[in-house]
Amino acid sequence: EAKASGRNTYRYFNEAMNEAANETLVIELGLSKALELQQFELHYQPQIDLKTGKLIGAESLIRWRHPELGLISPSQFIPVAEEVGMIVAIGKWVLEEACRQVKIWHEMGFSDSVIGVNLSAVQFTSGNIEQTVRDALKQAGVSAKMIELELTESIILKDADNVLEKVHNLKQMGCRLSIDDFGTGYSSLAYLKRFAVNKLKIDQAFIKDMQHNQDDDVIVRTIIQMAHNLGLKTIAEGIEDPATLELLRSYHCDEAQGYFIARPMDQAAFYEYLSALE
Ligand code: C2E
Ligand code: MG
Ligand code: MG
Ligand code: MG
């Protein structure tokens, strides 16, 4: 009997593994067609100024509307897209769509709102990121200061001269730059200076428990102080309750983003959200 149940367990495990492998395969195969089939969409999560409570813009977050698997989150397909090189084409689409959207928000009366765009390290090592950004801006007729490019430490850590040069060129064009998920990787003060970013996005890992975890609280306060001393702004990600929001306000964190303020919304829902603010 032990043997039988062992075999069942094994078979169950095997099937689960097969299912996971299948899903990966489905993602890999489908990814190459997803762009031309227009299966990607951007969702938008509002960001507010903590002093005034006013909307400052939104971060764009990609989703893949798969015919069989439903809405697939970026963490499931972006790494695959990076591996197979598709991220360059997908990233180009994201930039174009983001520029078109922020143009519409401006036309709706939110003329100062900025759109956040996540960039992958691969977009810096293959493809011409400056040209892609320049073309997307020109095509949509928006100025560079209306987009905020979110860089990750994996981009910064490449630290190749040409990556640094590309980031500088984007800054020179007028794009705003932020460091996403700040505090998690090998954060170093040196690169903040070298890369001339405008803002640090404090990783949600520190925000989540800062009310109850003394270490997280100290880390968050230290990041805010350090950023301000360097002339940088801070935004906290992943705020899920009013107490955390108040705490961050009392620490003079500049901006906020999280489920407590608003969840990421599809285009139609975001337009409604904007309309309700007016
Ligand atoms: P990220 O840039 O750090 O984005 C923040 C993530 O936290 C988003 O997950 C967002 O939905 C989620 N989030 C926001 N507020 C809360 C909250 O209060 N609580 C919790 N638990 N989560 C919150 P999402 O949309 O699944 O995106 C995951 C990651 O995928 C992003 O992390 C980013 O690294 C990547 N990504 C998303 N869109 C793009 C894109 O267009 N291009 C690239 N290269 N990467 C992207
Ligand atoms: Mg981001
Ligand atoms: Mg982040
Ligand atoms: Mg993240």
Side-chain angles (χ1 to χ4, degrees):
E1 188 177 313
K3 233 181 203 165
S5 103
R7 204 176 295 135
N8 278 340
T9 307
Y10 173 73
R11 192 202 290 150
Y12 173 77
F13 185 61
N14 214 22
E15 273 167 12
M17 266 173 52
N18 266 335
E19 219 164 88
N22 272 340
E23 199 159 296
T24 307
L25 200 65
V26 170
I27 286 179
E28 279 176 16
L29 291 175
L31 210 49
S32 58
K33 285 262 179 253
L35 257 183
E36 57 177 292
L37 293 175
Q38 298 184 297
Q39 291 172 340
F40 292 116
E41 47 188 78
L42 291 184
H43 287 204
Y44 308 96
Q45 186 176 32
Q47 299 175 327
I48 61 162
D49 183 309
L50 269 174
K51 257 203 205 112
T52 63
K54 287 220 163 100
L55 182 86
I56 49 166
E59 177 176 7
S60 62
L61 296 158
I62 196 171
R63 275 93 181 86
W64 177 11
R65 199 167 287 281
H66 192 280
E68 287 124 47
L69 301 176
L71 207 59
I72 307 182
S73 87
S75 50
Q76 275 179 279
F77 68 86
I78 291 289
V80 181
E82 287 173 336
E83 223 167 278
V84 300
M86 277 287 302
I87 192 66
V88 176
I90 295 172
K92 181 171 183 286
W93 176 83
V94 169
L95 278 159
E96 290 166 353
E97 181 66 8
C99 290
R100 281 192 291 269
Q101 284 304 313
V102 76
K103 176 79 176 177
I104 294 170
W105 305 346
H106 290 179
E107 287 165 356
M108 288 175 76
F110 295 87
S111 53
D112 294 328
S113 57
V114 172
I115 191 162
V117 178
N118 290 287
L119 295 184
S120 151
V122 183
Q123 290 176 272
F124 280 83
T125 46
S126 41
N128 187 339
I129 185 69
E130 301 108 300
Q131 192 62 45
T132 305
V133 170
R134 201 178 291 116
D135 290 348
L137 289 166
K138 198 171 165 201
Q139 221 176 74
V142 296
S143 81
K145 64 174 191 287
M146 296 309 173
I147 60 171
E148 180 174 291
L149 303 172
E150 298 194 2
L151 315 176
T152 58
E153 284 176 305
S154 58
I155 295 172
I156 303 290
L157 284 173
K158 291 229 182 283
D159 207 28
D161 279 345
N162 71 320
V163 172
L164 183 64
E165 191 190 318
K166 286 176 181 192
V167 174
H168 273 175
N169 290 342
L170 291 166
K171 181 81 190 281
Q172 213 61 46
M173 281 165 57
C175 299
R176 298 166 198 235
L177 305 175
S178 65
I179 300 205
D180 207 351
D181 305 337
F182 185 80
T184 47
Y186 293 90
S187 308
S188 131
L189 295 179
Y191 72 64
L192 293 182
K193 205 176 151 209
R194 267 164 71 83
F195 283 84
V197 298
N198 305 92
K199 195 185 291 178
L200 304 183
K201 298 196 77 177
I202 307 170
D203 194 80
Q204 30 185 304
F206 304 113
I207 307 297
K208 207 156 289 296
D209 294 325
M210 62 180 286
Q211 278 181 84
H212 311 290
N213 183 311
Q214 198 57 34
D215 292 341
D216 288 347
D217 179 88
V218 168
I219 289 169
V220 169
R221 268 188 289 159
T222 307
I223 292 175
I224 294 169
Q225 262 174 32
M226 176 201 68
H228 288 169
N229 288 341
L230 290 169
L232 307 177
K233 288 200 163 186
T234 50
I235 180 165
E237 292 192 273
I239 300 164
E240 296 188 349
D241 59 86
T244 304
L245 187 82
E246 280 320 312
L247 201 53
L248 285 159
R249 206 197 303 273
S250 76
Y251 295 161
H252 305 292
C253 183
D254 302 280
E255 300 166 3
Q257 177 182 350
Y259 291 171
F260 174 66
I261 297 151
R263 289 191 174 246
M265 291 166 256
D266 67 19
Q267 180 181 302
F270 190 69
Y271 291 160
E272 269 179 49
Y273 176 88
L274 288 182
S275 304
L277 287 180
E278 286 169 315

